[in-house]
Amino acid sequence: MKCTLEETKACKANSERRKTNGRVCTVVEVQIPGAQILVFTTTSAFVPQQGHFRQNAVLRAEVEGPPYVGPAVKPILDSIDSPADMKRLDMRQLKQLAHELRWETLEAVSKTGGHLSSSLGVNELTVALHYVFDMPEDDIIWDVSHQCYPHKILTGRRHSMPTLRQAGGISGFCKRKESPYDSFGAGHSSTSISAAQGMSVAKSMLGKRRNNCIAVIGDGAITGGMAYEAMNSAGYLRSRMIVILNDNGQVSLPTGTPSAGGTVPASQLSTYTSNLLVSKPFQNFRDFAKSFNKLLPEQLQDVNKRIDEYARGMVSGGTLFEELGFYYVGPVDGHDLDNMIPILEKLRDSDSNKPVLLHLKTVKGYGYPPAEQASDRLHAVGKFNVATAVQQKTKSIAPTFTSIFANALIEAATEDRTIVGITAAMPGGTGMDIFGRRFPKRTFDVGIAEQHAVTMAAGMACEGLKPFACIYSTFMQRGYDQVVHDVAIQNLPVRMVLDRAGFVGNDGPTHHGCYDLAYLGCIPGLVIMSPSDEIELKNMVKTQAVTDDAPTVMRYPRGTGYGAETLRTLFGYELEKNSAGEYEIPRGQVIPIGKGRVVRRSSGDRGKSRKDRVAILSFGTRLHEALVAAQQVEEEDESLGVTVADARFMKPLDVDLVRELADEHSVLITVEEGSIGGFGDHVLHFLTLDGQMDEGNLKFRPMVMPDAYFEAATQREQYEAAGLNARHIRGTILRLTKRIVAPQLQDV
């Protein structure tokens, strides 16, 4: 349904003053004949007169219930090719631009999927920043930068949005190589304040004419310790910069998971800022102007001291941010351009070098009712229907590895009351939301604080608990020193569970779990394992639960299991049927540490000669591709015999299995979902030290992720580009057994 402002003028409107999302607005309900009720929200600057709207009012329209439909045309947005084009707009046009930009973002993400509600929540802020500041000379750093879609649309990438997070398209995060308007790349959190301070110091030292560096950080990202380190440094060094705290009450994904802290955001800072909002009304520009003297030279401050005490001191009594050396402004309505723009202009034009923290209160998913009402605020979505908010999700016959892990952990925790789960603000992504619903008092969400999560787990282990620290592979990079110093050196039985190992798909290089095998494999005393399928995943959870004499690491990828039929026919499992006559996946069993298994041996008279025998040693879920490749090779060549083994463990390595494969086969290929320096290197290291390579009768090839960064694409496309799918394994076998001639590496 489409409805223009002109059409509503002919309709009688019922209006009332109402507090909406923490601010007082005029809410106007308009009934159009034959249509649904539209709800128009205006700020106090625009008030209905005699049942009609003022001529210059630009309003936010919401349909109470589907279908949700945006403007048919976007004339203001159509006139914007770069932020410079925004400078000529007046306030009414800026508000119209914000409205058009919101729907442009919605429509774009609906076609590609991506991070939706974070972008909707900073829509007005994005307009205000690009209107007030002059990028790229001024720097705006988005933290974590998943909220950068409106920014991309306004900075010349509107027509590239259909390629968002697609192979060969634009990134879902800020990337310096993508645009001069992306001041700093991101994807992990809590980096913006440090980067902004570095830029500010550099601008000052190089004598640059303008020094405006703005860090936009959310109340989730600011829970990361690095943000506090940066604020402490910025206040001490008096670095000129503006930190914008985007406070939307959404710390974890999703916020509200039952845990030991309740269902509130996993952050005491969130409670603190919420108390600020309760104790202080929204600050408008007049209030801000009264208190602005704290940024003025000291000789002028005394003149306005009484005004300042009236406007600020009696209300707040000082804040945490002021103690860190920041000039605190707020709270300010982050959707109110009338106040945000003049405040930002005043801060821009100030000669003070004191860092400023501007506290904005926003609503995640603002302007799109389905996002505002969803428990996760529609943080990350697949393709969806804008009118109904229904997502297009592919149905899978098998559950995800994440849910399999969570339910296996619940099974273990039911039998062992000392098992607890820890997550660093990612309960939904690690399965801790599932675990938390069953064991809320044994679930700990520490916010975006991986370092703290690991050392907290170490402390728990000291006192006899069995902590499972569940963290994305890519985010465990942030807790590396704690793994070494606090866990491994002390040999504490912390159970580390790394979700999203391997390629992750559309989030791109900042989120791939490529490096954990390399950076953890060099640490003495760690037990490192990776399941090949859902049965092995359940077995390894059980094994971790009973391992009390060493720290353990289990890694598994993003994706779904294979289902009972594939497990039977390809993997060779002997499954029993349940009462309904369906094959059932068994409960987890403890497996011996450091012992792999042979999954498939060559059949019949194949491989009579050693030169025709090939062994594939897989680590992780590439076992599926290895088994498919083995079948294909034997179907094509009756003389070749292919054995496939599942290593299960990288540390300790099953050296007996490696020796057996090396002795009986002329070719040994390792396959893994990791970078150079991982499992294959450990196998090669053992083979050389054991003398298996000395006689020159064993060909060895490690198949790993190439030494490169892989941009956004589907997981299948990424594994294809990395050369780790079945056809690449097949090609490696045929080349090493001289069935085909392939170009040398230096010629490729």
Side-chain angles (χ1 to χ4, degrees):
M1 180 181 66
K2 296 181 174 63
C3 175
T4 66
L5 184 61
E6 293 300 321
E7 290 174 323
T8 67
K9 290 180 180 178
C11 304
K12 204 69 176 178
N14 297 316
S15 66
E16 60 174 311
R17 299 291 285 173
R18 186 186 302 173
K19 192 167 185 178
T20 304
N21 295 323
R23 63 175 181 150
V24 177
C25 305
T26 298
V27 179
V28 188
E29 294 185 354
V30 182
Q31 177 65 61
I32 299 176
Q36 294 163 297
I37 293 178
L38 292 182
V39 178
F40 289 88
T41 306
T42 82
T43 63
S44 56
F46 301 109
V47 181
Q49 295 179 330
Q50 299 178 353
H52 304 291
F53 295 115
R54 288 183 181 176
Q55 181 66 33
N56 65 343
V58 178
L59 311 175
R60 179 171 73 91
E62 293 179 356
V63 183
E64 290 199 332
Y68 306 101
V69 181
V73 294
K74 304 183 182 79
I76 305 296
L77 184 59
D78 290 342
S79 69
I80 305 299
D81 292 321
S82 73
D85 297 325
M86 298 171 58
K87 308 301 181 183
R88 56 179 168 75
L89 303 180
D90 58 26
M91 184 61 73
R92 183 186 66 83
Q93 292 171 318
L94 288 172
K95 291 178 179 179
Q96 181 64 27
L97 173 62
H99 176 65
E100 294 174 8
L101 180 62
R102 171 169 286 105
W103 280 97
E104 183 74 14
T105 301
L106 271 165
E107 291 162 3
V109 177
S110 73
K111 296 179 176 65
T112 63
H115 292 96
L116 177 64
S117 56
S118 301
S119 292
L120 298 181
V122 298
N123 188 72
E124 285 77 16
L125 172 61
T126 305
V127 170
L129 287 173
H130 280 299
Y131 177 76
V132 172
F133 295 98
D134 294 317
M135 290 196 77
E137 187 174 1
D138 294 334
D139 289 303
I140 301 173
I141 302 101
W142 298 91
D143 193 334
V144 178
S145 89
H146 60 323
Q147 74 277 58
C148 68
Y149 300 172
H151 160 78
K152 293 198 175 212
I153 293 170
L154 292 177
T155 54
R157 285 166 280 182
R158 180 186 182 189
H159 298 296
S160 297
M161 289 301 287
T163 71
L164 179 71
R165 302 171 78 243
Q166 311 298 310
I170 61 174
S171 172
F173 300 95
C174 288
K175 294 183 76 72
R176 284 176 56 84
K177 68 179 182 180
E178 186 179 291
S179 170
Y181 291 98
D182 290 357
S183 298
F184 199 75
H188 291 194
S189 78
S190 314
T191 62
S192 60
I193 304 176
S194 296
Q197 185 183 4
M199 292 174 181
S200 175
V201 170
K203 287 175 187 283
S204 296
M205 292 186 68
L206 295 173
K208 294 190 175 182
R209 184 176 62 86
R210 295 175 63 92
N211 187 355
N212 291 313
C213 300
I214 302 95
V216 182
I217 185 168
D219 54 351
I222 207 169
T223 63
M226 187 176 172
Y228 291 97
E229 295 172 16
M231 284 192 288
N232 179 58
S233 174
Y236 163 67
L237 294 176
R238 293 183 66 85
S239 301
R240 175 183 169 86
M241 59 189 294
I242 301 171
V243 175
I244 298 177
L245 173 57
N246 176 37
D247 185 356
N248 61 28
Q250 294 287 301
V251 173
S252 299
L253 300 176
T255 292
T257 293
S259 70
T263 56
V264 297
S267 166
Q268 188 59 32
L269 178 64
S270 180
T271 302
Y272 174 77
T273 56
S274 295
N275 289 336
L276 281 178
L277 293 170
V278 171
S279 63
K280 299 178 66 176
F282 277 136
Q283 194 173 29
N284 59 31
F285 178 66
R286 292 183 62 186
D287 298 327
F288 165 74
K290 291 177 182 178
S291 63
F292 187 68
N293 70 297
K294 284 196 175 181
L295 282 183
L296 300 176
E298 292 183 4
Q299 60 267 30
L300 296 180
Q301 290 189 21
D302 290 339
V303 177
N304 293 323
K305 184 176 181 181
R306 290 186 180 180
I307 298 177
D308 188 44
E309 288 175 347
Y310 174 76
R312 288 175 53 83
M314 292 176 59
V315 181
S316 68
T319 71
L320 167 66
F321 306 110
E322 290 171 331
E323 294 299 324
L324 288 170
F326 278 73
Y327 172 71
Y328 173 84
V329 179
V332 173
D333 185 349
H335 304 294
D336 185 356
L337 289 171
D338 287 300
N339 279 311
M340 267 199 301
I341 286 177
I343 289 174
L344 288 170
E345 288 174 333
K346 198 78 170 177
L347 295 175
R348 177 198 63 194
D349 297 336
S350 168
D351 293 328
S352 172
N353 285 328
K354 187 173 184 177
V356 174
L357 188 134
L358 173 58
H359 181 187
L360 299 183
K361 179 58 181 175
T362 63
V363 176
K364 193 170 181 178
Y366 185 76
Y368 188 53
E372 293 187 36
Q373 296 160 11
S375 61
D376 65 348
R377 300 295 193 270
L378 298 186
H379 173 81
V381 297
K383 297 178 182 180
F384 67 98
N385 186 316
V386 175
T388 62
V390 175
Q391 296 188 50
Q392 303 172 17
K393 293 189 176 181
T394 303
K395 292 184 179 180
S396 174
I397 60 173
T400 65
F401 287 122
T402 301
S403 64
I404 293 166
F405 159 73
N407 287 303
L409 187 60
I410 288 172
E411 186 178 290
T414 302
E415 300 171 355
D416 188 342
R417 295 177 60 86
T418 63
I419 289 176
V420 298
I422 301 172
T423 180
M426 298 298 293
T430 60
M432 283 296 98
D433 58 338
I434 300 172
F435 185 80
R437 287 193 288 271
R438 178 65 177 83
F439 296 111
K441 297 300 182 183
R442 291 155 67 180
T443 304
F444 298 87
D445 185 349
V446 301
I448 303 178
E450 291 82 6
Q451 293 175 297
H452 169 58
V454 173
T455 304
M456 178 180 173
M460 289 176 164
C462 286
E463 295 300 321
L465 288 180
K466 295 183 177 181
F468 280 74
C470 306
I471 298 171
Y472 281 15
S473 168
T474 185
F475 296 148
M476 184 58 91
Q477 296 164 188
R478 299 154 62 93
Y480 185 63
D481 182 60
Q482 286 65 38
V483 175
V484 177
H485 182 270
D486 300 330
V487 176
I489 290 177
Q490 301 188 91
N491 197 42
L492 292 172
V494 172
R495 287 85 174 163
M496 289 166 275
V497 179
L498 308 187
D499 200 316
R500 304 306 199 269
F503 289 125
V504 299
N506 302 110
D507 280 336
T510 59
H511 282 60
H512 294 321
C514 302
Y515 312 116
D516 57 87
L517 294 178
Y519 71 69
L520 294 174
C522 59
I523 303 174
L526 286 185
V527 174
I528 302 176
M529 64 190 91
S530 184
S532 56
D533 53 65
E534 52 263 57
I535 293 178
E536 284 290 291
L537 175 54
K538 296 172 77 171
N539 290 342
M540 289 182 182
V541 172
K542 190 79 169 180
T543 303
Q544 279 191 295
V546 300
T547 303
D548 296 321
D549 58 353
T552 58
V553 177
M554 179 179 66
R555 70 187 307 260
Y556 61 86
R558 179 183 189 179
T560 60
Y562 300 107
E565 185 61 26
T566 299
L567 292 174
R568 286 180 57 252
T569 58
L570 183 63
F571 288 77
Y573 285 106
E574 295 181 0
L575 303 181
E576 296 181 356
K577 291 185 177 181
N578 56 24
S579 58
E582 299 172 337
Y583 287 106
E584 193 171 55
I585 296 176
R587 291 165 61 94
Q589 302 293 325
V590 176
I591 57 178
I593 296 291
K595 288 299 177 183
R597 61 189 180 119
V598 175
V599 179
R600 179 191 194 278
R601 294 190 185 275
S602 57
S603 58
D605 295 329
R606 296 174 181 277
K608 291 181 179 180
S609 173
R610 185 175 181 274
K611 68 180 180 60
D612 293 327
R613 293 197 294 269
V614 177
I616 305 172
L617 182 57
S618 174
F619 184 65
T621 57
R622 288 294 96 185
L623 180 65
H624 176 275
E625 300 299 303
L627 289 168
V628 171
Q631 282 188 352
Q632 292 174 346
V633 168
E634 290 195 352
E635 288 172 359
E636 294 172 13
D637 192 319
E638 294 181 356
S639 64
L640 281 178
V642 184
T643 298
V644 181
D646 177 12
R648 283 178 164 169
F649 295 88
M650 185 173 92
K651 294 187 72 174
L653 185 66
D654 188 346
V655 296
D656 293 332
L657 176 60
V658 175
R659 282 196 186 103
E660 175 189 333
L661 297 176
D663 289 341
E664 297 178 0
H665 303 81
S666 65
V667 173
L668 176 57
I669 300 167
T670 61
V671 187
E672 64 192 283
E673 300 158 303
S675 69
I676 295 169
F679 172 70
D681 285 82
H682 280 250
V683 174
L684 180 59
H685 186 77
F686 167 74
L687 289 171
T688 54
L689 291 180
D690 200 49
Q692 297 287 337
M693 310 293 289
D694 294 353
E695 301 300 323
N697 59 359
L698 177 66
K699 297 178 180 179
F700 177 82
R701 292 293 187 274
M703 297 186 70
V704 302
M705 294 176 175
D707 193 21
Y709 296 111
F710 284 76
E711 299 297 338
T714 66
Q715 285 177 285
R716 182 73 187 179
E717 290 170 331
Q718 287 163 348
Y719 281 112
E720 184 71 19
L724 291 174
N725 285 334
R727 74 181 190 92
H728 305 103
I729 301 172
R730 168 188 165 275
T732 301
I733 294 172
L734 296 178
R735 185 172 69 252
L736 292 175
T737 56
K738 298 184 178 180
R739 265 55 176 185
I740 59 173
V741 177
Q744 296 297 310
L745 183 62
Q746 62 266 24
D747 298 329
V748 175

